[in-house]
Amino acid sequence: MTAEATAKTPSECGGEPPGRGRRGRRWIEHWDPEDEGFWRETGERVARRNLALSVLCEHIGFSIWSLWSVMVLFMGPEYGIDPAGKFFLVAMPTLVGAVLRVPYTFAVARFGGRNWTVFSALLLLVPTAAAAVVMTPGTSYGTFLLVAGLTGVGGGNFASSMTNINSFYPLRKKGWALGLNAGGGNIGVPVIQLLGLLVIGTAGAAQPRLVLAVYVPLIVLAAVLAALFMDNLGPVANDTGAALEAARERHTWVMALLYIGTFGSFIGYSFAFGLVLQSQFARTPLQAASLTFIGPLLGSLVRPVGGRLADRFGGARITLGNYGAMSLATGVVIYASAVRSLPVFLVGFIALFVLTGLGNGSTFKMVPGIFQAQAVRRGLAGEVAAAYGRRLSGAAMGLIGAVGALGGLGINLAFREAFGTTGSGTPAFVSFLAYYALCGVVTWAVYLRGAAGAGSAARAEGEAMRPAYAEV
């Protein structure tokens, strides 16, 4: 089929797609973004439309996922929950969201990206309404834990959104597209924190339901727009076994390790920042809320930049340099914690947020490139290699995202233990520093060591050239 023919969606063709038991005007049966003619004539326009709506829905999902990082700021002494209990409370959404990312990845292939986006957006109404019911003094701690766990559905949105958008874009543009999709979603964290600041500063700390009232109509609007204007990709929906194959690839788990250090840090710090300021520097809820949004906002905004830099210089190189910088920033935070200097602490902590955003973009850019390189190594070429890369990288992203989100759980539990035993977050930051150093070593050893000379050595021995992972 020619690029001109395949460029038309079923709705644009005015008919139903041939050869499927499943019919619908929002299904695209032929999709070849690596074909420049197809991409130029129709593909780019369709991909951009789906990307814009994916960002909107994921943005709201992230806001709901991080809802309890804001709700705990409204929970004064009358709620009877100590700092350790609050750290565990904000850890619950991270745990549930991480677990849900695996089935959410399968859901795109099973139901279609557009269909699942609509359903997952509407599902956000459940934790939002539940929080409105229970957010009052006297509610049991177990009830708070249960309702906080419900917001994990917002964290699952990331996996399905990234898997879906990965299939829409050609390899040469994935870094920017995935970075923009994820960054736009990540901004949901500082947006709801800013809204919490606005409510606390105007209506007071006794009005948490005002935050929830804002999001109900936004959730409905996002679901309606997704239903009207997004598309399902038939070739993706036809493949339900890719996740199992991706799980057998060692690179999936290496990248999950690295993503724990970037995204796990981003989401863990986002949920815990306000509590750290209250517990370690005795900030009031209003003072904490006036600072908590800054780091997540900057980290979200620079995520597409990390993807762009990875497109240009190679994701492995950017990731390695980023982990070195994260180690230095963590050293600054440890020093500031020891001398109890809030200004220095804020400089180091906000720098960490920025670096987690850059690292999020560069690590996720690496994933499609790694599986494309794997395809070449196996002797595949052209569209066959590109299809293999899209298939495996889309599935791997869900698994990597799930494991990475568990890093946020680890960060909140580390803070809970540190403050519970020493009254300071310093021991937690020391453990984070060790992990960032480990990630830097792994990045160099797996993706950069010997990459420059691999091609010439293989040719000298008459062997097939190894993939240059430094370029992924």
Side-chain angles (χ1 to χ4, degrees):
M1 184 172 287
T2 64
E4 182 178 359
T6 60
K8 297 178 181 179
T9 70
S11 58
E12 289 167 335
C13 293
E16 296 178 339
R20 288 187 63 95
R22 197 164 28 182
R23 295 291 188 266
R25 65 183 296 271
R26 301 311 310 188
W27 283 92
I28 300 175
E29 293 303 322
H30 303 283
W31 189 257
D32 185 9
E34 302 298 341
D35 182 327
E36 294 189 5
F38 167 83
W39 180 253
R40 183 175 58 254
E41 292 170 15
T42 296
E44 185 173 17
R45 173 171 53 83
V46 173
R48 283 181 174 177
R49 183 180 70 239
N50 281 270
L51 174 61
L53 292 169
S54 177
V55 168
L56 173 63
C57 293
E58 189 186 342
H59 172 93
I60 296 174
F62 261 90
S63 290
I64 300 306
W65 192 24
S66 54
L67 173 66
W68 284 88
S69 71
V70 176
M71 291 295 101
V72 294
L73 298 179
F74 288 89
M75 300 170 78
E78 66 274 16
Y79 283 82
I81 303 176
D82 62 12
K86 290 180 180 179
F87 276 115
F88 193 70
L89 188 61
V90 299
M92 281 299 295
T94 312
L95 173 61
V96 176
V99 173
L100 287 180
R101 285 184 171 196
V102 176
Y104 268 59
T105 301
F106 283 104
V108 171
R110 178 66 181 85
F111 301 106
R114 171 257 187 189
N115 295 346
W116 186 254
T117 300
V118 174
F119 173 79
S120 61
L122 289 174
L123 194 59
L124 298 173
L125 292 171
V126 175
T128 307
V133 172
V134 306
M135 197 61 196
T136 182
T139 301
S140 70
Y141 185 67
T143 301
F144 280 128
L145 284 176
L146 176 62
V147 174
L150 291 176
T151 63
V153 298
N157 284 9
F158 174 85
S160 54
S161 179
M162 293 294 277
T163 300
N164 187 40
I165 293 304
N166 176 65
S167 299
F168 274 97
Y169 277 82
L171 182 62
R172 65 186 181 277
K173 293 183 178 291
K174 285 185 189 291
W176 173 250
L178 293 174
L180 191 63
N181 186 57
N186 292 170
I187 290 177
V189 178
V191 166
I192 197 170
Q193 290 174 343
L194 276 170
L195 178 60
L197 170 63
L198 177 63
V199 171
I200 292 174
T202 56
Q207 302 297 328
R209 291 184 179 86
L210 292 178
V211 176
L212 305 168
V214 171
Y215 274 91
V216 171
L218 291 178
I219 291 169
V220 174
L221 175 63
V224 170
L225 291 176
L228 292 176
F229 300 111
M230 289 189 74
D231 302 289
N232 301 302
L233 291 183
V236 175
N238 286 334
D239 182 7
T240 57
L244 294 177
E245 189 173 345
R248 291 193 291 266
E249 286 283 349
R250 73 180 183 95
H251 288 291
T252 299
W253 304 109
V254 173
M255 290 307 303
L257 175 77
L258 300 183
Y259 200 57
I260 287 173
T262 57
F263 181 76
S265 296
F266 173 83
I267 201 66
Y269 292 153
S270 296
F271 286 14
F273 194 15
L275 288 176
V276 170
L277 292 174
Q278 286 183 301
S279 302
Q280 185 154 330
F281 293 97
R283 300 294 95 179
T284 66
L286 180 59
Q287 290 171 331
S290 67
L291 296 170
T292 52
F293 73 92
I294 299 173
L297 176 62
L298 295 177
S300 302
L301 291 175
V302 302
R303 181 161 184 161
V305 178
R308 178 79 79 178
L309 290 173
D311 283 338
R312 182 174 180 181
F313 300 107
R317 294 191 183 98
I318 300 301
T319 299
L320 177 61
N322 196 73
Y323 271 121
M326 287 178 70
S327 298
L328 291 175
T330 307
V332 172
V333 170
I334 292 171
Y335 167 78
S337 298
V339 300
R340 303 190 64 81
S341 171
L342 179 59
V344 176
F345 181 87
L346 290 174
V347 169
F349 210 88
I350 290 172
L352 267 177
F353 269 113
V354 172
L355 293 166
T356 61
L358 286 172
N360 285 339
S362 65
T363 51
F364 249 59
K365 157 62 182 177
M366 291 172 68
V367 177
I370 287 170
F371 286 103
Q372 182 77 9
Q374 289 285 76
V376 173
R377 190 174 192 177
R378 295 182 180 188
L380 304 179
E383 173 55 24
V384 176
Y388 175 92
R390 287 196 301 270
R391 175 176 177 267
L392 268 295
S393 62
M397 282 178 179
L399 298 174
I400 292 166
V403 177
L406 287 174
L409 172 66
I411 279 180
N412 280 283
L413 292 180
F415 278 133
R416 179 177 184 271
E417 180 67 20
F419 280 104
T421 56
T422 70
S424 169
T426 301
F429 285 115
V430 172
S431 66
F432 304 153
L433 174 60
Y435 191 84
Y436 299 150
L438 171 65
C439 288
V441 171
V442 170
T443 303
W444 172 80
V446 178
Y447 298 114
L448 291 170
R449 181 171 58 120
S456 59
R459 286 191 295 270
E461 297 175 11
E463 300 172 353
M465 195 167 98
R466 290 177 55 199
Y469 285 122
E471 302 302 324
V472 301

